[in-house]
Each structure stands twice: as structure tokens, then as C-alpha cells.
Amino acid sequence: MKLERIDRQSANLLSELCIKTFKEAYKGVHSEEDIECYCSDNYLPSDVALLLDDETTEAVVALDQEIPAGFYLIKHMPCPVELAGPSTELKQIYVLSSHFGGGLGRQLFDSIVQSALEYGSTRLWLCVSDINYRAQAFYKKLGFSKVGIGPVLVVGKDKLPSSILALEIIK
């Protein structure tokens, strides 16, 4: 598996990957209409290009023989809950279901930690929906713990409470 950092030139690719992974992750959790609404509100190529233009944002795609299999987005910024030291937000980490169980999630996460350390961060943080049990289990396994209540996440008509999780990272 090859990890490749991308920029705005790859906005279409990342847009398609965001939509595909989001639909896989939330099928059966939200209605198709709510999922479509969320994707059109957040993952249009123009929106993804703007995100990739932000100098504090880093995006990496995992390629399996040049075919996208997963990705992550991080943003070097402080947590809304005070943490000791500089921090990096883990905005998104998704793996296509065809690549579950093969260690790709861990490979992407290790790359995130390395990038955050290179930036000078000592903590990673993220917001996760309180009903996203698969993600919560993944983050708990990695050592994240709850540090606060997150914002209400909106997926179409669904309004979901979330939690802020954080992890100390050390060289």
C-alpha cells in the first residue's frame, strides 16, 4: 500500500473517495436522502479543493496498486478543549470496506502521528459521533480518551451528539 500526499489537483479523486467511504460507513445508520444531503453539502470537488488549499490541512490517500483504498485529512490546529501542548485535529480517516481488516487503518494512523510530530504537535484530537461505534472502538484501541463534549453533527435531518477524544503522542 502506497500513501501519497495530495493537493488541490486531486480534489476530484478525494471528493469521490469521501463520498464512497461516507456512504459505506453510514449506510443503514442514516437514510439515503440524509447521506446524499451530507455528501452534497460537504464533498463537492469545489469544497474539497478549498479544504486542500488551506495550508494547515494535510490530505493523504492510500493507493492499492494505484487504486484509492482510503485516506485521511488532518488539520494542524488547537483543540476547542484545552490540551497541554500543540495539537493536530484528525478530521477524517476512512478505509473502503474492501480493505477492512488488512491493517490499512493502522498504517494511515501511523502516518498521521508522524506528520503531527513533524509539525510539532504533542496531541491528536478529533470529534466522533456518539453513535459511530466502529470509529469509537478503533480510536479507543489506539489509546484515545474522551476529553469533552463535541459539537452536534448534522447529517441531513439527523442531529447527532459527539464527543471530543484526544491522544498524547510522543516521539
Side-chain angles (χ1 to χ4, degrees):
M1 198 70 61
K2 180 174 86 171
L3 301 186
E4 185 176 293
R5 188 167 176 180
I6 60 170
D7 60 19
R8 95 171 340 262
Q9 310 311 347
S10 298
N12 286 337
L13 172 119
L14 185 57
S15 170
E16 290 172 16
L17 193 54
C18 285
I19 291 168
K20 189 170 184 178
T21 56
F22 189 85
K23 286 180 177 182
E24 284 183 357
Y26 293 101
K27 183 179 183 176
V29 176
H30 303 289
S31 72
E32 283 186 37
E33 181 182 328
D34 287 340
I35 290 171
E36 289 296 332
C37 181
Y38 184 87
C39 289
S40 66
D41 286 349
N42 293 281
Y43 297 140
L44 294 176
S46 57
D47 296 327
V48 172
L50 285 174
L51 181 65
L52 294 173
D53 281 342
D54 182 341
E55 63 187 36
T56 65
T57 299
E58 210 174 297
V60 169
V61 171
L63 300 169
D64 184 1
Q65 300 179 10
E66 303 307 314
I67 298 172
F71 73 97
Y72 71 76
L73 285 167
I74 58 175
K75 193 167 181 79
H76 301 293
M77 63 180 287
C79 182
V81 173
E82 189 173 334
L83 301 175
S87 60
T88 293
E89 180 185 14
L90 170 49
K91 301 277 301 163
Q92 295 177 340
I93 181 171
Y94 282 102
V95 173
L96 289 171
S97 60
S98 59
H99 288 76
F100 283 173
L104 179 55
R106 182 60 197 222
Q107 184 181 357
L108 288 167
F109 181 74
D110 289 346
S111 177
I112 289 166
V113 170
Q114 186 61 40
S115 180
L117 288 169
E118 288 171 6
Y119 184 78
S121 292
T122 59
R123 304 263 190 293
L124 286 176
W125 67 276
L126 57 92
C127 290
V128 63
S129 163
D130 290 347
I131 65 165
N132 190 342
Y133 305 116
R134 178 184 203 97
Q136 289 177 25
F138 176 72
Y139 297 128
K140 184 177 181 179
K141 188 168 121 179
L142 294 171
F144 281 83
S145 58
K146 184 173 179 175
V147 295
I149 297 171
V152 172
L153 305 174
V154 179
V155 178
K157 294 183 289 301
D158 292 340
K159 293 178 180 26
L160 310 168
S162 71
S163 296
I164 298 173
L165 308 181
L167 172 72
E168 181 178 13
I169 54 175
I170 304 169
K171 284 187 182 181

